[in-house]
């Protein structure tokens, strides 16, 4: 399901948050939207999913609108929202919504928890999980919907290195099933580890969109060069 983003702007209260972004997302692999805090990464991801509507321009997924195609994508937010139920019940809820017959659910729940390294935590209250475990549960829930595309917004913000590694492995495994991964991060090291292609966003503008190896070898945009050199760009 390729995406075509054409001249997309998003403005609110007279402030332009996304400024004429155009791009195509039609390759396989992991696309990382990289940029400093406040660049507009979360807003762009929400526009792509249809949670916000552009104030100019348009987005098409395989020719259809983001809202029409929402069911074919999974989204994982920076702070996952857990139902006040057990871990297993959080997973089962997704299957129920999907219309999976009750009798088939336990095996699928077990498989999803095993896959995400949560096999021993099924009966725990989901809201008592650590940040990293909650993020893995959120990814497992998205995975169950067998999405063509998974959008992840700063999935490891606030996680320690061990928890970050576990979440990154899960993202890699999810991508290996054929799902297109589109994720945001402000973490340059994470972009280096995960990106097949980089979209560098700054002040709502898409300044670079290139294969990751090329981008890191020599960013063309001075802001991008400064950012990956560790400067505090403004
Ligand atoms: N609903 C909103 N109303 C006003 N400003 C917003 C709104 N949402 C985001 N912003 C602003 O837009 C800019 C980009 O936000 P965001 O997409 O969250 O950045 P990022 O995810 O790259 O850190 C920020 O300056 C933020 O304060
Ligand atoms: Mg954000």
């Amino acid at each position: 399901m390729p995406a075509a983003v054409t001249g997309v702007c998003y403005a609110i209260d007279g402030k332009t948050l996304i400024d004429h972004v155009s791009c195509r997302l039609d390759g396989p692999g992991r696309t990382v939207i990289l940029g400093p805090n406040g660049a507009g990464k979360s807003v762009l991801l929400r526009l792509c999913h249809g949670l916000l509507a552009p104030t100019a321009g348009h987005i098409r997924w395989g020719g259809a609108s983001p809202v029409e195609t929402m069911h074919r994508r999974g989204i994982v937010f920076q702070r996952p929202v857990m139902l006040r139920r057990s871990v297993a019940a959080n997973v089962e809820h997704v299957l129920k919504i999907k219309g999976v017959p009750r009798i088939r659910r336990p095996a699928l729940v077990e498989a999803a928890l095993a896959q995400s390294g949560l096999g021993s935590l099924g009966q725990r209250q989901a809201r008592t999980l650590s940040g990293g475990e909650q993020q893995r549960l959120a990814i497992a829930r998205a995975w169950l919907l067998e999405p063509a595309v998974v959008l992840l917004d700063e999935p490891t913000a606030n996680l320690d290195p061990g928890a970050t590694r576990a979440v990154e492995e899960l993202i890699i495994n999810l991508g290996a099933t054929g799902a297109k991964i589109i994720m945001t991060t402000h973490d340059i090291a994470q972009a280096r580890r995960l990106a097949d292609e980089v979209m560098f966003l700054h002040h709502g503008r898409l300044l670079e969109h290139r294969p990751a190896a090329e981008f890191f070898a020599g960013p063309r945009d001075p802001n991008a060069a400064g950012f990956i050199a560790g400067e505090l760009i403004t």
Side-chain angles (χ1 to χ4, degrees):
M1 192 168 57
V5 176
T6 311
V8 165
C9 298
Y10 184 77
I12 187 165
D13 300 335
K15 212 173 128 200
T16 298
L17 306 184
I18 295 295
D19 193 358
H20 292 91
V21 168
S22 295
C23 63
R24 292 191 62 84
L25 295 168
D26 47 12
R30 297 183 294 268
T31 298
V32 172
I33 303 172
L34 176 68
N37 285 327
K41 303 180 296 295
S42 297
V43 170
L44 183 59
L45 212 64
R46 281 164 193 268
L47 287 163
C48 285
H49 196 43
L51 299 174
L52 294 172
T55 44
H58 55 82
I59 299 174
R60 290 289 177 270
W61 290 92
S65 78
V67 171
E68 286 168 314
T69 51
M70 201 177 263
H71 64 286
R72 300 205 49 208
R73 288 183 304 273
I75 187 160
V76 175
F77 295 104
Q78 191 167 342
R79 287 185 199 80
V81 183
M82 300 288 134
L83 300 174
R84 199 181 295 278
R85 299 179 193 172
S86 72
V87 169
N90 266 268
V91 176
E92 193 191 348
H93 183 70
V94 173
L95 296 171
K96 187 177 166 188
I97 290 171
K98 207 181 161 191
V100 174
R102 195 180 291 266
I103 191 155
R104 287 187 47 219
R105 291 182 208 157
L108 292 168
V109 169
E110 196 178 324
L113 293 180
Q115 194 176 44
S116 49
L118 299 171
S120 60
L121 296 176
Q123 295 318 310
R124 274 270 291 279
Q125 275 296 313
R127 291 184 180 182
T128 69
L129 295 179
S130 70
E133 289 162 349
Q134 289 200 18
Q135 205 52 275
R136 268 149 53 210
L137 176 54
I139 295 170
R141 287 189 310 194
W143 197 333
L144 276 176
L145 297 170
E146 295 171 353
V149 179
V150 181
L151 308 172
L152 302 110
D153 194 9
E154 304 249 11
T156 65
N158 310 317
L159 299 186
D160 69 19
T164 295
R165 179 195 296 266
V167 168
E168 288 187 359
E169 278 173 8
L170 199 53
I171 293 169
I172 290 168
N173 294 343
L174 174 55
T177 67
K180 167 75 186 167
I181 303 287
I182 303 173
M183 59 180 281
T184 70
T185 189
H186 67 273
D187 179 343
I188 298 151
Q190 178 166 68
R192 282 185 195 272
R193 288 192 297 273
L194 293 183
D196 293 309
E197 64 168 3
V198 172
M199 293 171 63
F200 181 73
L201 198 68
H202 186 45
H203 292 319
R205 295 204 189 101
L206 180 59
L207 298 180
E208 298 231 20
H209 184 188
R210 286 200 287 151
E214 273 180 33
F215 175 80
F216 286 113
R220 294 187 189 122
D221 180 81
N223 292 291
F227 186 66
I228 68 171
E231 289 166 23
L232 301 172
I233 62 170
T234 53

